[in-house]
Amino acid sequence: MANVKSGAYRDVIIDRCLQNRRGYSTQEIFDKCNAALERRNETPITALNTIRNDILAIENRWHIEVEQIRSGREIRYRYKDPHFSIYNNPLNENEIAQLSEAVSLLRRFEGMPGFGWVEEMSAHLQATVSASPEPVIGFDENKELKGTSFFTPLFKSITNKQALSITCKRMFL
């Protein structure tokens, strides 16, 4: 069974190794990952194939080429692009849209006691994803609110500035 529990953390370690121009062997990456996992009191990996599969997954996920350099009997791995890192990749349009939605939802908590960090974080995220912070929607509390299933499509239409035709039916009880 694959060791996926610490996969994201292993990606951080492997990314650092692949950035090094001399390259790292599978065994060296394996040792570095296990040392880092042990410092975090996590279960170490037991197979070199885990590292090989992680490198392949990074190549496929990020559409980047990892070079294999033969050095004597061992093979060393490094990014073909010396300036690449999976953590320096620019955001695509879909990721920017998702972050913008997250920022709008975080703004709901602004001003509430104990949530001062939200203002700081939402301002930083908003500055990161957009040049002009513009509020899209405001919230009030209503425990008897109905029609929340329409929120996401309406929110997306508002943020994408798409015109909608809406018919409202008033229901009397």
Side-chain angles (χ1 to χ4, degrees), residues 64-132:
I64 186 72
E65 190 174 341
V66 175
E67 290 182 314
Q68 296 181 9
I69 303 151
R70 188 164 284 283
S71 175
R73 298 182 100 189
E74 69 182 5
I75 296 175
R76 296 182 167 279
Y77 297 91
R78 70 180 183 191
Y79 290 130
K80 188 170 188 170
D81 177 0
H83 304 291
F84 181 80
S85 169
I86 59 177
Y87 299 102
N88 291 342
N89 233 2
L91 298 173
N92 64 36
E93 287 183 28
N94 187 34
E95 291 168 332
I96 290 172
Q98 289 173 343
L99 275 175
S100 294
E101 288 179 27
V103 167
S104 294
L105 291 175
L106 278 174
R107 288 190 182 277
R108 177 179 187 183
F109 297 101
E110 283 183 357
M112 293 179 70
F115 286 94
W117 61 271
V118 172
E119 276 185 58
E120 190 176 312
M121 185 191 318
S122 74
H124 178 70
L125 283 173
Q126 188 67 45
T128 303
V129 299
S130 161
S132 59

Side-chain angles (χ1 to χ4, degrees), residues 23-101:
Y24 279 86
S25 70
T26 310
Q27 184 65 50
E28 290 172 324
I29 297 172
F30 178 86
D31 294 339
K32 285 194 170 286
C33 285
N34 277 340
L37 290 170
E38 286 176 14
R39 281 192 300 272
R40 291 178 57 150
N41 293 323
E42 292 188 27
T43 307
I45 54 177
T46 57
L48 289 174
N49 275 339
T50 303
I51 298 299
R52 291 184 191 103
N53 290 336
D54 287 346
I55 291 171
L56 184 61
I58 288 172
E59 279 185 298
N60 292 333
R61 190 176 324 125
W62 297 99
H63 309 290
I64 186 72
E65 190 174 341
V66 175
E67 290 182 314
Q68 296 181 9
I69 303 151
R70 188 164 284 283
S71 175
R73 298 182 100 189
E74 69 182 5
I75 296 175
R76 296 182 167 279
Y77 297 91
R78 70 180 183 191
Y79 290 130
K80 188 170 188 170
D81 177 0
H83 304 291
F84 181 80
S85 169
I86 59 177
Y87 299 102
N88 291 342
N89 233 2
L91 298 173
N92 64 36
E93 287 183 28
N94 187 34
E95 291 168 332
I96 290 172
Q98 289 173 343
L99 275 175
S100 294
E101 288 179 27

